[in-house]
Amino acid sequence: MGLSFLAMPLVEPDAKTGPPLEALIQEMGRRAREAALQLATLSTQEKNRVLESMAGALLEREDAILEANAGDVQQAIGKGLNPALIERLRLDPARVAAMAGGIRQVAALPDFVGEILAEWTRPNGLQIRKVRVPIGVIAIIYESRPNVTSDAASLCFKSGNATILRGGSEAFGSNAAIAEALASGGAAAGLPEFAIQFVPVASRETVTLLAHMDRYLDLIIPRGGKSLIETVTAQARMPVIKHYDGICHVYVDSAADLSMACALAVNAKCQKPGVCNAMETLLVHRDIAAAFCPLVAETLRKHGVELRGDDTFRCFDPGAHAATEEDWSTEYLDLVLSVRVVDSLEDAIGHINRYGSRHSDAIVTSDAKAAQRFLAEVDSAAVFWNASTRFNDGEEFGFGAEIGISTDKLHARGPMALPELTSYKYHILGSGQMK
Amino acid sequence: MGLSFLAMPLVEPDAKTGPPLEALIQEMGRRAREAALQLATLSTQEKNRVLESMAGALLEREDAILEANAGDVQQAIGKGLNPALIERLRLDPARVAAMAGGIRQVAALPDFVGEILAEWTRPNGLQIRKVRVPIGVIAIIYESRPNVTSDAASLCFKSGNATILRGGSEAFGSNAAIAEALASGGAAAGLPEFAIQFVPVASRETVTLLAHMDRYLDLIIPRGGKSLIETVTAQARMPVIKHYDGICHVYVDSAADLSMACALAVNAKCQKPGVCNAMETLLVHRDIAAAFCPLVAETLRKHGVELRGDDTFRCFDPGAHAATEEDWSTEYLDLVLSVRVVDSLEDAIGHINRYGSRHSDAIVTSDAKAAQRFLAEVDSAAVFWNASTRFNDGEEFGFGAEIGISTDKLHARGPMALPELTSYKYHILGSGQMK
């Protein structure tokens, strides 16, 4: 059985009679480390069989999952949670089918474990091979979306890692039901015991206990809002890969095709405003401001966008609100856009490097030299020339499913897919060489 | 001028009259971030010119450096520091020349920044390029060896990163003098201002302030003992790459060539016992124990090695001390060795994965199948077949100078050289594509 929580009490521990929480988390860590050693040597075929069986089990248990989810939703409504949060929490048959489909997509992706990344022979005859291996044990700490349970578990498993899942309290019943389905499905097809574990207690203390457990955890990935990420980052003693805000920019250069620029601005802002790769600030070169600002303002407003401009922009669009200093570093995640008119390419790059979040930024221009400078000097994970920031995405890059878009610069930057869930080791083959 | 500390007071700040330490560190961070943006676009030629000029300046200022070092050594003797520590601290003309030579070697290494790691075109026509870029701002927190000042600064600079150096208090004068030489030399050849900064205060608080400054620092590398690494790891809010202990093993399999095994054991233990890739535990398969144990015991003892064995080993070598449970997880860094007789390859792998530090472990065998299993299942940065663990080293791998040997699994594992001091970004080239 892959999920040890089934044998554990699904209750808040009682300080007097219950199991000490720290011992529980440590034991999960120890077991995960042992499972990781087994996972590292599974074949691709063995892993894909497990994934297929997990997907099937999710569909078979749809009723139980939806019932548990209805309980979570009921409780959330009772607590007065905001409708957007409840919407994220809610499952239906289509969403369960999408989870199962997601697992099957992961099965269809290539297995990178075992890949020889480099290979060379030294003058003394030593043969050195750099070989891709799993990271080891990964903890995923996430908030309300129950689909993260199956998405994260399947990606970590396919890349040979043991996973400890710690979901949010609002989705506790849904997560447990999904995990139970994955467990029974996985076990039937040979999932090593304790390869995927679900923290059976939703207290906040479990986050701290995981963050301190560098003895057993190789990596923590927090998936959720800024405050969750900051809490984990401040406490973690092991690497954390962060998927922070996207304060993304589109810069319309003096040499831009204005109708392309207008269309890209609308796409980057409106196609899905609540996601991290949506545009939050539009920068416009002064030389084309008189022609471009009224055009883009009218078009964006037709799409329901509220505009907050600097003084120059408001000369061309008096209907815009005045942008404050705070606006430049705000991720609205909504149909709101800040707009600034800049004097030069250099000023645009300076603005982005100062206020941006190193996520996704675009230049619209027909001037190749300006574009090259923008690509080189904007310090962001993905820099676009004449394309929408919305393309910073694992699927769009051709990577398949991703675990998130990293705003870190170490280990993984931008879309974090299967290869970014691996590490490497060196095999050195000799014939008695000594130093 | 590249090193801002020259303009700063080299004194402990006074809470009443001096500059607040936090503001000082924040200002260093802010300036480093600005410098990093300039560094990212320097050409290889420009960087090599700066390095050459730094090396020259070190040699020109040898007298001033040795004088400052004599002061540090005098103070260390006065404080009663242990002789090994004083030896690490001491500089002489040969060591200054070695530092300058090290910088020239870094100049001679290839520049990986700008390398295109992958490139592909999507069905919608988007061209995606994964391009190697510097990490950004790196803080190096180190202890007594003053050569780290020039080694770390030159490696970080060559890979396009801004560096904040925070050396130990015992070597404060030496580090300051070396930094001053690098500064004047670098500035003369175009080193961007604040690209290399030296923390002008040696108080412990500076470590905490750096560790909390995730706004400006992309990475911290602690170079020193376990307690320094643990202090940094517990406090850091940004990635830390750790170079921990090496509890390294040599396993002599039943199918080993015993004279090769004996020679490798001597090399791995005795060639330089005080380093992280030296062997600390020897594992011997039961089937060859009667033949191998007396042989290896006699040879090692001739080299002055103290042996601590389990019960079985002591049957063959009654002169050995009894190993305790603690011995299996001890890094002696000395002519002391623990020895255990194991029943199988599986037991050897189990012992290493339980007690080892994931650093460097070797199998001696003529059985290819046993070797393959060892290479696959031992979860260490470098796994050796018929070669000494001493080869886990950047120079020996052919990488040139290294900043350390990472015991982490994220971003860098094993020798951490120039490529491991870089990150990447994506350039996406389009013609108006929208999602």
Side-chain angles (χ1 to χ4, degrees):
Chain A
M1 184 153 64
L3 283 115
S4 67
F5 84 94
L6 295 175
M8 291 178 180
L10 287 177
V11 292
E12 291 276 336
D14 181 317
K16 283 173 204 135
T17 60
L21 198 51
E22 185 172 353
L24 169 76
I25 299 290
Q26 288 283 329
E27 185 58 14
M28 291 180 77
R30 199 187 59 71
R31 289 168 165 182
R33 175 62 62 94
E34 276 179 16
L37 296 170
Q38 291 178 60
L39 285 170
T41 59
L42 289 187
S43 71
T44 305
Q45 209 182 8
E46 288 168 321
K47 289 189 277 194
N48 289 346
R49 209 159 44 218
V50 167
L51 288 165
E52 180 52 45
S53 182
M54 283 178 174
L58 270 189
L59 296 173
E60 275 167 28
R61 298 189 176 214
E62 186 193 288
D63 290 349
I65 293 168
L66 292 182
E67 196 183 317
N69 182 253
D72 286 338
V73 169
Q74 209 50 48
Q75 211 163 21
I77 292 170
K79 281 185 188 161
L81 260 64
N82 82 55
L85 212 64
I86 291 172
E87 193 37 47
R88 285 186 192 188
L89 179 57
R90 196 188 301 276
L91 294 176
D92 56 28
R95 285 189 172 178
V96 175
M99 281 193 274
I103 296 176
R104 287 182 172 138
Q105 275 174 33
V106 170
L109 289 171
D111 185 0
F112 296 90
V113 172
E115 186 187 353
I116 294 177
L117 297 166
E119 191 168 17
W120 65 100
T121 302
R122 295 290 300 153
N124 60 7
L126 282 181
Q127 284 177 55
I128 305 184
R129 271 191 218 136
K130 186 178 183 180
V131 184
R132 202 189 275 282
V133 299
I135 288 173
V137 182
I138 301 178
I140 312 279
I141 301 182
Y142 55 108
E143 292 183 327
S144 59
R145 288 181 198 270
N147 63 303
V148 175
T149 308
S150 73
D151 292 354
S154 57
L155 282 166
C156 289
F157 170 71
K158 176 77 182 234
S159 44
N161 301 291
T163 315
I164 296 179
L165 298 158
R166 195 281 188 193
S169 56
E170 326 78 46
F172 192 88
S174 317
N175 290 332
I178 294 166
E180 194 171 327
L182 298 177
S184 64
L191 178 68
E193 203 174 14
F194 308 118
I196 300 173
Q197 297 178 83
F198 179 76
V199 176
V201 178
S203 80
R204 286 197 171 195
E205 201 190 339
T206 56
V207 174
T208 305
L209 290 169
L210 288 167
H212 287 176
M213 194 165 61
D214 50 348
R215 183 170 175 194
Y216 295 124
L217 292 186
D218 295 298
L219 171 64
I220 287 193
I221 303 177
R223 282 203 44 174
K226 201 166 180 173
S227 100
L228 172 73
I229 302 175
E230 281 173 354
T231 302
V232 171
T233 302
Q235 298 187 83
R237 294 199 180 144
M238 69 290 291
V240 179
I241 293 187
K242 298 179 282 295
H243 307 89
Y244 260 131
D245 301 358
I247 300 175
C248 306
H249 301 75
V250 173
Y251 163 59
V252 182
D253 188 44
S254 55
D257 171 333
L258 299 191
S259 74
M260 182 200 285
C262 190
L264 285 176
V266 170
N267 179 266
K269 178 74 254 179
C270 308
Q271 202 248 356
K272 203 169 179 185
V275 295
C276 60
N277 57 17
M279 168 176 67
E280 304 293 3
T281 300
L282 177 67
L283 300 171
V284 180
H285 192 286
R286 184 172 297 278
D287 291 355
I288 46 109
F292 184 66
C293 293
L295 169 73
V296 79
E298 193 193 338
T299 317
L300 286 167
R301 216 167 264 126
K302 270 189 200 150
H303 284 81
V305 178
E306 177 195 324
L307 298 172
R308 302 188 187 173
D310 70 346
D311 288 348
T312 314
F313 179 75
R314 292 173 71 224
C315 294
F316 303 113
D317 181 53
H321 299 273
T324 64
E325 178 67 16
E326 212 192 325
D327 278 301
W328 310 123
S329 40
T330 299
E331 187 188 31
Y332 304 113
L333 296 172
D334 203 351
L335 287 174
V336 181
L337 179 72
S338 54
V339 192
R340 178 172 231 169
V341 175
V342 294
D343 287 336
S344 62
L345 169 64
E346 199 175 358
D347 284 359
I349 294 170
H351 178 101
I352 295 169
N353 284 336
R354 177 164 178 196
Y355 294 104
S357 63
R358 299 169 148 193
H359 196 292
S360 309
D361 300 288
I363 182 172
V364 189
T365 189
S366 55
D367 175 350
K369 235 173 141 176
Q372 290 308 341
R373 191 168 165 202
F374 185 91
L375 296 176
E377 296 184 19
V378 168
D379 182 22
S380 298
V383 274
F384 295 83
W385 176 17
N386 290 343
S388 171
T389 55
R390 292 278 294 114
F391 286 111
N392 188 359
D393 175 275
E395 292 284 354
E396 294 296 340
F397 275 32
F399 297 164
E402 70 188 16
I403 201 134
I405 297 174
S406 165
T407 50
D408 272 318
K409 292 176 103 174
L410 272 278
H411 188 78
R413 193 179 195 196
M416 186 174 182
L418 285 176
E420 288 75 28
L421 287 168
T422 64
S423 176
Y424 57 85
K425 76 201 279 189
Y426 292 100
H427 290 181
I428 301 100
L429 283 50
S431 50
Q433 281 88 342
M434 289 177 281
K435 194 172 168 182
Chain B
M1 187 151 65
L3 284 115
S4 66
F5 84 95
L6 295 175
M8 291 178 180
L10 288 177
V11 293
E12 292 276 335
D14 181 316
K16 284 176 202 132
T17 61
L21 198 51
E22 185 172 351
L24 170 75
I25 300 290
Q26 288 282 328
E27 185 59 14
M28 292 179 77
R30 199 187 59 72
R31 288 168 165 182
R33 174 62 62 93
E34 276 179 16
L37 296 171
Q38 291 178 59
L39 286 169
T41 59
L42 288 187
S43 71
T44 305
Q45 209 181 7
E46 288 168 320
K47 288 189 277 194
N48 290 346
R49 209 160 43 218
V50 168
L51 288 166
E52 181 51 47
S53 182
M54 283 178 174
L58 270 190
L59 296 173
E60 276 167 30
R61 297 189 177 216
E62 186 194 286
D63 290 349
I65 292 168
L66 292 182
E67 196 184 313
N69 183 252
D72 286 339
V73 169
Q74 210 49 47
Q75 210 163 20
I77 293 170
K79 280 186 190 161
L81 260 64
N82 82 56
L85 214 63
I86 290 171
E87 194 38 47
R88 284 188 193 186
L89 180 57
R90 195 187 302 276
L91 294 176
D92 57 27
R95 284 188 175 180
V96 175
M99 280 193 275
I103 296 176
R104 284 180 174 141
Q105 275 173 35
V106 170
L109 289 171
D111 186 0
F112 297 90
V113 172
E115 187 187 353
I116 295 176
L117 298 166
E119 191 167 19
W120 66 100
T121 302
R122 296 290 300 154
N124 60 7
L126 282 181
Q127 284 177 57
I128 304 184
R129 270 191 219 137
K130 186 177 183 179
V131 183
R132 200 189 277 282
V133 298
I135 288 173
V137 181
I138 302 179
I140 312 279
I141 300 182
Y142 55 108
E143 291 182 330
S144 59
R145 290 181 196 271
N147 64 303
V148 175
T149 309
S150 73
D151 293 354
S154 56
L155 282 165
C156 289
F157 171 71
K158 176 77 180 232
S159 44
N161 300 292
T163 315
I164 295 180
L165 299 157
R166 195 282 188 193
S169 56
E170 326 77 46
F172 193 87
S174 318
N175 290 334
I178 294 166
E180 194 172 326
L182 299 176
S184 63
L191 178 69
E193 203 174 14
F194 309 118
I196 300 174
Q197 297 179 82
F198 179 76
V199 177
V201 179
S203 79
R204 286 196 172 197
E205 202 189 339
T206 56
V207 173
T208 305
L209 290 169
L210 288 167
H212 287 174
M213 194 166 61
D214 51 347
R215 182 168 175 197
Y216 296 124
L217 292 186
D218 295 298
L219 171 64
I220 286 193
I221 303 177
R223 282 203 44 175
K226 200 166 180 173
S227 100
L228 172 73
I229 302 176
E230 281 173 352
T231 303
V232 172
T233 303
Q235 298 186 81
R237 295 201 178 140
M238 68 290 291
V240 179
I241 293 187
K242 299 179 281 294
H243 307 89
Y244 260 131
D245 299 359
I247 299 174
C248 305
H249 300 75
V250 173
Y251 164 60
V252 182
D253 188 44
S254 54
D257 170 333
L258 299 192
S259 73
M260 182 199 284
C262 191
L264 285 176
V266 170
N267 179 266
K269 179 74 254 179
C270 308
Q271 202 249 355
K272 202 169 181 186
V275 295
C276 60
N277 57 17
M279 168 175 67
E280 304 293 2
T281 300
L282 177 67
L283 301 171
V284 181
H285 193 286
R286 184 173 298 279
D287 291 354
I288 46 109
F292 184 66
C293 293
L295 168 73
V296 79
E298 193 193 336
T299 318
L300 285 167
R301 216 168 264 126
K302 271 189 201 149
H303 283 82
V305 178
E306 176 195 326
L307 298 172
R308 303 186 186 174
D310 71 345
D311 289 347
T312 314
F313 179 74
R314 292 171 71 222
C315 295
F316 304 114
D317 181 53
H321 300 272
T324 63
E325 178 67 16
E326 210 192 325
D327 277 302
W328 310 123
S329 40
T330 299
E331 186 188 30
Y332 304 113
L333 296 173
D334 203 351
L335 287 174
V336 181
L337 179 72
S338 55
V339 192
R340 179 172 231 168
V341 175
V342 295
D343 287 337
S344 63
L345 170 64
E346 199 174 359
D347 284 358
I349 294 169
H351 178 100
I352 295 169
N353 284 337
R354 177 167 177 195
Y355 294 104
S357 64
R358 298 170 147 192
H359 197 291
S360 309
D361 300 288
I363 182 172
V364 189
T365 188
S366 54
D367 176 350
K369 236 173 141 174
Q372 290 307 340
R373 192 169 165 202
F374 185 91
L375 296 175
E377 296 184 17
V378 168
D379 182 22
S380 298
V383 276
F384 295 84
W385 177 17
N386 291 342
S388 171
T389 55
R390 293 277 293 114
F391 286 111
N392 188 359
D393 175 275
E395 292 283 355
E396 295 296 340
F397 274 33
F399 296 164
E402 70 187 16
I403 200 132
I405 296 175
S406 165
T407 49
D408 272 319
K409 292 176 102 174
L410 272 277
H411 186 78
R413 193 179 195 196
M416 185 174 182
L418 286 176
E420 288 75 29
L421 287 168
T422 64
S423 176
Y424 57 85
K425 76 201 277 189
Y426 292 100
H427 291 180
I428 302 100
L429 283 50
S431 50
Q433 281 87 344
M434 289 177 279
K435 194 171 169 183

